[in-house]
Amino acid sequence: MTKSFWNGVVLAICFSCTSPVFAAQNLSRALTATVSVTGQMTLDKFEQLIQQGFKSVIVNRPDQESGNAVTVSQLRSIAEKSQVSVIYQPVVSGHISQANIEEFARYYNELPKPILMVCRSGTRSAALFNQAKSQGLIHE
């Protein structure tokens, strides 16, 4: 057996052992030390995220939005088992209003941290956070 063959075997073993860890870490994207965003949700993914230590969840994806596989009530029932707060603040994609930004900022400032924000891709939730922060509405 050649040295390159064994190097490949060792790399394959290393990646097979560590890939679940990396996968778990990539379930969400941190915006700051206190807030992360995540996209398309499944019940299994949500259970994994809750185990990562989030204290609060803000769901920005409307239950009735096309392609949404889980409802906020399903997420809430999982979160409550870990004593995690869930806030349902549905925001229509591409139509973030000033009222949405101010409502989010109130939740952010009052909820235990770290906070996980949920929408279809994470973009809408990140936009809410970034707009509230740029307007000085976020107290960190």
Side-chain angles (χ1 to χ4, degrees):
M1 303 273 166
T2 66
K3 183 178 179 181
S4 62
F5 170 81
W6 288 111
N7 286 344
V9 169
V10 169
L11 284 174
I13 292 169
C14 289
F15 284 127
S16 69
C17 293
T18 59
S19 61
V21 172
F22 286 116
Q25 292 173 346
N26 290 329
L27 291 174
S28 64
R29 178 173 52 97
L31 301 179
T32 69
T34 58
V35 67
S36 295
V37 296
T38 190
Q40 188 67 30
M41 191 56 61
T42 65
L43 297 178
D44 183 54
K45 178 180 174 181
F46 191 69
E47 287 177 356
Q48 291 177 51
L49 285 162
I50 291 300
Q51 292 172 6
Q52 291 182 4
F54 290 102
K55 302 283 188 226
S56 305
V57 176
I58 300 174
V59 179
N60 298 125
R61 187 172 190 181
D63 276 350
Q64 69 278 10
E65 187 174 85
S66 177
N68 194 4
V70 297
T71 65
V72 72
S73 63
Q74 290 172 303
L75 300 180
R76 186 172 281 124
S77 68
I78 292 169
E80 286 175 350
K81 293 174 188 170
S82 298
Q83 297 162 348
V84 173
S85 303
V86 175
I87 300 295
Y88 182 51
Q89 186 201 2
V91 176
V92 177
S93 184
H95 300 287
I96 296 175
S97 69
Q98 183 62 33
N100 295 146
I101 296 166
E102 292 171 4
E103 180 182 15
F104 163 72
R106 281 191 303 276
Y107 291 137
Y108 179 88
N109 292 328
E110 294 172 3
L111 289 170
K113 295 169 185 63
I115 297 172
L116 176 67
M117 297 179 70
V118 178
C119 66
R120 182 177 56 235
S121 68
T123 302
R124 171 181 1 185
S125 295
L128 269 172
F129 175 79
N130 290 328
Q131 289 182 36
K133 186 172 182 168
S134 72
Q135 292 178 27
L137 301 174
I138 299 293
H139 306 279
E140 295 190 88

